[in-house]
Amino acid sequence: MVFSSIPFLFFFFPTFLLCYFLLPKQCRNYVLLFFSLLFYAWGEPVYVFLMIGVSFSDYLIGRLMHKCSGRPFAKKICLLVSVIIDLAALGFFKYADFLVNIVNQLIGTKIPLLSLALPIGISFFVFQSLSYTIDLYRGEVTVEKSYLDYLMYVSMFPQLIAGPIVRFQTVREELHHRTIQREEFFAGGMRFLAGLFKKVLIANQLGLLFEAAKQTSAEELGVAMAWLGAIAFTLQLYFDFSAYSDMAIGLGLMLGFHFMENFRYPLAADSVTEFWRRWHISLSTWFRDYVYIPLGGNRCRVGRHLLNIAVVWFLTGMWHGAAWNYVLWGVYYGVLLCLEKYVWGKGLKKLPAFVRRLYLLLIVIVGFTVFAIEDLNVAFSYLGTMFFFHGASLGENLLFYLQNYGVVLLVAAIAAMPLVPGLKQLWNKWHLPNGMLSIARACGCAACLVLFAVTVSYLVADTYNPFLYFRF
């Protein structure tokens, strides 16, 4: 089940809200837990037990680690067991066939593939649960004594299958004591609707454009059409994933939880370093705090620092998927970050702002083209078309696609820039009479109703409605 679906919008979520707010407050955690498990089991009726198993093992290890608080070696053993169990579960389901393929190609064996279906969101809930035991080992959180509350933390449906990755220390107090204010409930609902509109009205439409470009042969594609498709995918991925984060944060706010921001207009960045401080922030900070800093971070010699960056970005690429294009994508960003740090970073800062932003956009678009196409031969062929290796034709049907998708591309390009925060600041400076404020709010609500009706009509009519990060 996805948030941008008729069953969720008109059946699952309204039923959940009725139960959540009509039943006594002391029942809210159990209501949320029940509906979260139901939400996951809707698409994964078997793998829901995998999630329960991962959470139960970390819960038990956490309790054992708490009992071993005076024995550092025993605590290390507990942490090691947690890491092994969690990464083994992730590795078996996500990377087993990838490794078998490598072995078969290297030594000529014919080991059969397992062909296991990938549990939805496994990378998210495993990392989330693992962060609890690591933080507990470090003494940054206190042990959770209720398994049902811990399971609710891991399985919470707003952010279960595509993030943001929520750390236990962020929501521990709210797991047990939270208040839901009317203003925050309304703000959460508006944040959810904003994400829904971004997903259906922008991301899905751009996805259709990229699919059309990707399915066109290199001979017919043309340079301009190849760039148009690559730009469309870059914007699609941003609006698809940031929309899910918006909806997750909005739902959390409606329920009394405050999740971290996951995107801060990354396409407006002017360097690769800045881009990764703004894109998928919960994952970037996870790797920073649990891999990069423990390896030594940047407080070491140059050679070791380069190695630390290489390890983090190799793992970041692998986290996204068991395919060589993800590995290459991770290495690509690792190399660029090293070059910015030690080669051209200082010179880059001296360039005009628009040049720095063009530099970043070029890097991101090329990177996401590799990210989008798992077959490296096809990916390189597509990149070859973008950079004139297959001729300099504009591409067939270019004008047709510009006419059909030009408006949504323009809207997406504008919406990807940090204009909304600026407009909010400007709005807050205006001291409008109460009557004008009421009229403005009424107009805003009317616009939301119209957009919601349009969104629902798209959902009823269209079959193309993927969430790209579900597969991770």
Side-chain angles (χ1 to χ4, degrees):
M1 188 187 304
V2 298
F3 294 161
S4 58
S5 66
I6 299 300
F8 180 85
L9 293 172
F10 290 98
F11 298 101
F12 180 90
F13 192 54
T15 304
F16 164 73
L17 284 181
L18 286 174
C19 296
Y20 191 77
F21 287 107
L22 292 181
L23 291 176
K25 287 185 178 180
Q26 57 267 31
C27 297
R28 284 180 178 171
N29 280 7
Y30 303 114
V31 171
L32 180 53
L33 174 59
F34 172 80
F35 277 88
S36 295
L37 295 177
L38 177 63
F39 179 85
Y40 194 82
W42 187 283
E44 298 283 18
V46 176
Y47 286 148
V48 68
F49 296 106
L50 172 66
M51 181 184 64
I52 292 172
V54 167
S55 64
F56 188 63
S57 71
D58 283 334
Y59 166 77
L60 287 180
I61 290 169
R63 294 298 301 271
L64 184 59
M65 194 182 296
H66 177 67
K67 292 182 178 180
C68 299
S69 56
R71 293 175 285 172
F73 181 74
K75 285 182 65 177
K76 286 185 179 180
I77 294 298
C78 291
L79 177 62
L80 181 62
V81 171
S82 173
V83 171
I84 290 173
I85 291 174
D86 289 351
L87 295 186
L90 180 62
F92 178 75
F93 286 97
K94 194 165 185 175
Y95 305 106
D97 281 353
F98 181 64
L99 295 175
V100 168
N101 263 324
I102 292 174
V103 171
N104 286 343
Q105 291 173 6
L106 286 177
I107 61 178
T109 55
K110 296 183 179 179
I111 303 172
L113 301 180
L114 299 175
S115 298
L116 294 170
L118 182 65
I120 294 174
I122 185 172
S123 297
F124 288 94
F125 69 72
V126 166
F127 269 33
Q128 187 158 306
S129 188
L130 183 57
S131 69
Y132 164 72
T133 54
I134 297 174
D135 287 346
L136 188 60
Y137 172 78
R138 293 174 172 178
E140 296 176 359
V141 298
T142 55
V143 68
E144 176 55 53
K145 297 181 179 179
S146 167
Y147 171 64
L148 292 181
D149 286 343
Y150 182 76
L151 178 59
M152 189 195 74
Y153 153 71
V154 174
S155 66
M156 208 182 309
F157 77 83
Q159 45 70 232
L160 169 60
I161 51 183
I165 301 170
V166 178
R167 300 191 196 180
F168 188 73
Q169 58 186 302
T170 303
V171 295
R172 187 186 185 283
E173 287 301 317
E174 293 172 341
L175 288 176
H176 304 287
H177 309 287
R178 58 185 179 274
T179 57
I180 303 171
Q181 300 177 2
R182 182 179 301 175
E183 294 79 8
E184 288 193 336
F185 183 88
F186 177 77
M190 296 302 291
R191 183 73 180 266
F192 176 86
L193 287 176
L196 180 66
F197 301 153
K198 286 166 62 176
K199 164 61 182 166
V200 177
L201 302 181
I202 298 179
N204 283 4
Q205 311 315 309
L206 294 173
L208 292 171
L209 175 56
F210 175 67
E211 287 298 316
K214 188 172 68 171
Q215 292 171 11
T216 304
S217 65
E219 293 75 18
E220 298 176 349
L221 184 60
V223 175
M225 187 62 195
W227 276 99
L228 189 65
I231 292 169
F233 178 77
T234 299
L235 290 169
Q236 179 201 4
L237 186 63
Y238 167 65
F239 281 101
D240 188 278
F241 194 17
S242 67
Y244 189 95
S245 293
D246 285 339
M247 287 189 272
I249 292 168
L251 289 173
L253 202 56
M254 294 172 74
L255 307 181
F257 293 96
H258 297 79
F259 303 150
M260 71 178 295
E261 291 293 334
N262 211 22
F263 290 87
R264 290 195 176 96
Y265 296 98
L267 297 180
D270 58 5
S271 69
V272 175
T273 304
E274 184 66 21
F275 176 81
W276 283 107
R277 288 174 182 156
R278 299 179 177 211
W279 178 282
H280 203 346
I281 299 169
S282 63
L283 180 67
S284 299
T285 54
W286 199 99
F287 274 110
R288 180 198 67 195
D289 294 344
Y290 299 123
V291 180
Y292 180 67
I293 291 177
L295 286 174
N298 58 2
R299 297 182 177 181
C300 51
R301 294 181 178 179
V302 172
R304 180 55 188 263
H305 185 210
L306 294 176
L307 176 63
N308 294 345
I309 294 174
V311 169
V312 167
W313 281 97
F314 174 79
L315 293 176
T316 301
M318 286 296 295
W319 180 89
H320 282 86
W324 287 113
N325 68 309
Y326 298 120
V327 175
L328 179 60
W329 177 80
V331 171
Y332 169 79
Y333 273 111
V335 170
L336 285 167
L337 285 165
C338 291
L339 291 173
E340 277 194 2
K341 179 69 176 177
Y342 290 106
V343 180
W344 60 59
K346 292 181 180 179
L348 181 65
K349 293 178 181 179
K350 298 177 182 179
L351 295 175
F354 80 94
V355 175
R356 298 198 304 269
R357 286 174 180 165
L358 285 176
Y359 152 86
L360 185 276
L361 288 174
L362 176 63
I363 285 172
V364 169
I365 291 168
V366 170
F368 279 141
T369 301
V370 175
F371 184 92
I373 306 172
E374 288 196 8
D375 188 323
L376 285 180
N377 291 326
V378 177
F380 290 144
S381 177
Y382 194 101
L383 288 170
T385 302
M386 290 170 62
F387 290 98
F388 299 95
F389 292 118
H390 298 146
S393 66
L394 293 178
E396 297 184 5
N397 300 322
L398 176 64
L399 291 178
F400 169 80
Y401 287 113
L402 283 175
Q403 289 172 353
N404 283 274
Y405 295 98
V407 173
V408 70
L409 279 167
L410 180 61
V411 170
I414 294 172
M417 297 296 107
L419 299 178
V420 174
L423 291 174
K424 285 183 177 178
Q425 289 180 0
L426 186 61
W427 174 265
N428 291 332
K429 289 180 180 179
W430 291 346
H431 299 287
L432 298 177
N434 289 334
M436 291 291 290
L437 284 173
S438 299
I439 292 172
R441 287 169 181 165
C443 290
C445 291
C448 284
L449 288 174
V450 171
L451 287 174
F452 184 74
V454 174
T455 299
V456 171
S457 69
Y458 270 95
L459 291 176
V460 171
D462 292 346
T463 57
Y464 184 81
N465 188 32
F467 263 119
L468 299 181
Y469 264 71
F470 276 14
R471 55 184 173 172
F472 305 131

